[in-house]
Amino acid sequence: MCVRDRLYAARDHLHPDGRMVLHAQPAHYTLDGAHGVANPKGLHAEALGVDVHVTLAEGPPVRNLIEAVQTAHLDVEGVVASPLAAAYACLTAEERDLGVALVEIGAQVTNVSVHAAGMLLGLKSIPIGSNDITDAIASSLGIRRSQAERLKCVSGSAIATPTDHRAGPYTHLTPPTTHPTALSVVSCAHTHKLITNTAAHILSPYLSHSL
């Protein structure tokens, strides 16, 4: 049996329970019970096994997105899960081959995807996002949410920008409970530590479990 036939046979055993199958991709191959086969094409064996990683989605939200795009007089060729699209946009083929975990933090949802041997091995969506980090910063420092958002964007970025150097090592904030002319000085290093600890505290209960 060829690789394509085995993949089609695996897809026949899917039970989506009314949901849509967005992706059904190979996550692990075995040849005669031997593991660690990245690509079985061209290899000979008596038995070929494959584990398939399936990404499911509720039908109505997907159809609503498709109709919204079509309303703008555009055609939809296919629907791609956000974590998979982010992986192909942000990761190189070498990174996906060597092994990497991609954490995509959105406003309300965080997606974690694990890749190795060029395949998607695991995926988890966490119902917590950057808005929760902003709220935690505002609560901890007693500042406005808009100020907390700015602190997060300036001191919480993993990529250095010229704006970081212009801002200097300290950030001046106006506490909402004091006179508008009163200022408090917050160390950017302290803010960075606060953001890191807050993100770790929020995400650790979810990331501690297997994907």
Side-chain angles (χ1 to χ4, degrees):
M1 180 177 288
C2 68
V3 176
R4 181 178 299 177
D5 292 338
R6 178 59 67 183
L7 289 176
Y8 283 134
R11 290 171 181 172
D12 291 337
H13 290 81
L14 298 179
H15 302 285
D17 297 328
R19 291 175 291 179
M20 297 179 60
V21 178
L22 292 183
H23 307 288
Q25 300 177 317
H28 180 247
Y29 289 108
T30 59
L31 290 178
D32 293 333
H35 301 273
V37 180
N39 189 351
K41 292 182 179 179
L43 302 179
H44 299 274
E46 294 293 332
L48 169 64
V50 58
D51 293 335
V52 178
H53 185 278
V54 181
T55 304
L56 303 176
E58 298 293 339
V62 174
R63 287 192 290 270
N64 289 337
L65 290 175
I66 294 175
E67 291 181 3
V69 174
Q70 292 174 339
T71 302
H73 306 289
L74 298 173
D75 295 328
V76 178
E77 294 186 2
V79 180
V80 181
S82 175
L84 190 61
Y88 280 99
C90 300
L91 302 176
T92 64
E94 182 180 13
E95 289 173 331
R96 295 196 303 270
D97 184 62
L98 294 176
V100 62
L102 175 63
V103 180
E104 178 192 6
I105 303 179
Q108 298 177 337
V109 177
T110 297
N111 294 314
V112 183
S113 57
V114 177
H115 306 258
M119 296 180 288
L120 176 64
L121 302 184
L123 171 64
K124 188 176 185 67
S125 293
I126 304 170
I128 290 178
S130 60
N131 286 346
D132 298 276
I133 298 177
T134 300
D135 294 338
I137 296 173
S139 176
S140 177
L141 297 179
I143 59 178
R144 296 183 178 90
R145 197 177 188 281
S146 59
Q147 295 174 321
E149 179 70 18
R150 180 179 181 277
L151 276 177
K152 184 186 68 177
C153 294
V154 173
S155 300
S157 176
I159 302 176
T161 65
T163 305
D164 299 338
H165 302 291
R166 289 198 300 268
Y170 296 94
T171 300
H172 296 273
L173 301 173
T174 303
T177 56
T178 61
H179 192 273
T181 59
L183 294 177
S184 62
V185 180
V186 179
S187 167
C188 289
H190 171 71
T191 306
H192 181 272
K193 182 178 180 180
L194 173 63
I195 294 173
T196 303
N197 293 342
T198 301
H201 175 72
I202 291 175
L203 299 179
S204 59
Y206 298 91
L207 299 182
S208 60
H209 300 287
S210 172
L211 293 174

